[in-house]
Amino acid sequence: MSLEQRINAAWYGKPRGLLLLLPLMFVFRFIAALRRRVISPQPCGAPLIVVGNISVGGSGKTPAVLALAEYCRDRGYRVGIVSRGYGGKAPYYPYLLDSSTEPNIAGDEPCLIARRSGLPVAVAPDRLAAAKLLVDQKGCNLIISDDGLQHYRMARDIEVLLLDGQRGFGNGYCLPVGPLREPISRAKQVDITIINGGSNSFSGHTMLLRGDTAIELGSGERRSLQEWPATERRVHAVAGIGNPQRFFDALRERDFDVVEHPFADHHAFIAKDLNFADACPIIMTEKDAVKCAGFHLNNSWMLPVDAALDARFFAQFSGLLERLPAP
């Protein structure tokens, strides 16, 4: 077990030896609380919605951002999306993506969002600067921030919290003893909560991730998972996301014989990572595929997913939008 895996086991299980770091946790909490008190939020020139979490690691933010962006666009807003661009090294910031921007420049998630949505996307460690760029240069009248709940320089009108229904708040401790960026009490201060996968333990709106059709990386061939050949049901499943097990379990629920290949979130793939001993098909997440498409792999597929949210969520979210200026 790698160091990262051991830390995650402690964060989402019993903290054990990490309890020795409790003094550092209290320092972290003090600094986090101080930042929130002393930082003055600044508007970007348009209403802003933050979609984020209070824990380290993935919770399904990217599919949620895409779903909310589409909903707002359909209601007449000129939507722009900002992100930190983690994993990318742009030549300057803020950086505006186009259809050819590569993940090593802007990060995997922003590239995925830009390609799927067709909306203006900008990245910068200073998300406020990225938001202002979209307002000034692209005429956006609504900004959605992919993550950034703790980016308090950025004034926000609506806060959407994403929570992993399987892992919840982990062991309940803040960093470095647990996975939390802020205390659990922060979750009560947001406007609306989405629970990825649903939960009987936490209150919020259930989001289900639906992916029924795989796409071959080289040819673009589309293949229904339901009609996948029985002779090719043993697959190498590749996932460099916050919770790879969710992806592996989803494939098993579709009757695949899964060989698991978990990687760290935002892993910078090289072709050697996908050099497996047999010729079984490879199925990976869409987020990983944006980094692996150039490897020219044989029989390699990505599985795009969409966020499914119920009518109750959109009724509440629509009420929140009514607080904003009309598009």
Side-chain angles (χ1 to χ4, degrees):
M1 183 182 292
S2 68
L3 176 61
E4 180 185 6
Q5 289 172 325
R6 289 198 296 270
I7 291 174
N8 271 288
W11 279 354
Y12 292 99
K14 295 182 178 180
R16 294 190 171 89
L18 290 180
L19 289 173
L20 296 173
L21 301 177
L22 275 173
L24 290 178
M25 184 198 77
F26 289 120
V27 172
F28 175 86
R29 285 188 57 170
F30 173 77
I31 293 173
L34 183 64
R35 286 183 67 255
R36 192 174 182 190
R37 289 178 65 90
V38 303
I39 292 176
S40 298
Q42 300 179 30
C44 68
L48 190 142
I49 301 171
V50 173
V51 181
N53 56 18
I54 63 170
S55 60
V56 174
S59 54
K61 291 188 299 296
T62 299
V65 165
L66 287 166
L68 297 186
E70 180 181 1
Y71 183 83
C72 293
R73 177 175 56 186
D74 290 347
R75 274 140 194 85
Y77 287 99
R78 297 188 301 276
V79 181
I81 300 172
V82 298
S83 175
R84 186 185 186 283
Y86 185 87
K89 294 183 179 179
Y92 52 85
Y93 291 106
Y95 187 85
L96 184 65
L97 280 70
D98 59 35
S99 59
S100 63
T101 302
E102 294 294 333
N104 65 312
I105 299 295
D108 47 20
E109 290 169 347
C111 288
L112 188 161
I113 291 171
R115 296 174 190 182
R116 281 282 298 270
S117 70
L119 295 170
V121 177
V123 298
D126 179 2
R127 289 182 180 85
L128 178 61
K132 289 180 176 179
L133 176 71
L134 292 178
V135 173
D136 295 340
Q137 293 193 15
K138 292 296 182 178
C140 296
N141 61 8
L142 180 66
I143 302 297
I144 298 179
S145 177
D146 178 18
D147 210 354
L149 203 61
Q150 292 77 35
H151 198 80
Y152 288 113
R153 274 193 71 238
M154 186 172 57
R156 67 284 309 270
D157 298 87
I158 299 172
E159 290 187 330
V160 181
L161 175 68
L162 261 291
L163 179 63
D164 187 321
Q166 292 180 345
R167 303 191 299 176
F169 298 113
N171 60 24
Y173 290 94
C174 286
L175 293 165
V177 180
L180 299 184
R181 300 167 175 173
E182 297 182 276
I184 293 175
S185 58
R186 177 70 171 92
K188 299 177 182 179
Q189 301 166 5
V190 302
D191 297 288
I192 191 167
T193 299
I194 297 173
I195 303 176
N196 186 6
S199 172
N200 294 323
S201 304
F202 306 105
S203 177
H205 297 278
T206 295
M207 178 179 77
L208 299 177
L209 298 180
R210 305 191 187 281
D212 301 315
T213 303
I215 302 173
E216 214 281 323
L217 299 189
S219 66
E221 175 191 348
R222 303 176 70 89
R223 179 185 290 180
S224 166
L225 296 188
Q226 185 176 358
E227 299 172 358
W228 198 276
T231 56
E232 296 186 22
R233 285 275 165 176
R234 182 174 176 81
V235 299
H236 293 284
V238 173
I241 56 177
N243 185 6
Q245 197 59 50
R246 182 185 294 278
F247 181 66
F248 304 147
D249 292 345
L251 289 175
R252 287 195 175 96
E253 290 172 3
R254 300 300 189 91
D255 297 322
F256 284 92
D257 179 9
V258 174
V259 181
E260 298 181 2
H261 299 280
F263 291 87
D265 197 13
H266 303 289
H267 177 71
F269 283 93
I270 59 175
K272 184 179 178 181
D273 292 331
L274 307 178
N275 185 15
F276 303 126
D278 56 45
C280 293
I282 299 172
I283 301 182
M284 64 183 66
T285 72
E286 186 178 15
K287 174 177 164 178
D288 298 315
V290 299
K291 294 176 286 190
C292 299
F295 296 158
H296 306 294
L297 303 166
N298 293 322
N299 205 9
S300 297
W301 305 74
M302 69 174 178
L303 183 62
V305 296
D306 295 303
L309 291 153
D310 60 26
R312 285 180 50 252
F313 168 82
F314 285 112
Q316 184 179 353
F317 185 69
S318 179
L320 295 172
L321 288 180
E322 290 177 1
R323 306 188 317 200
L324 307 181

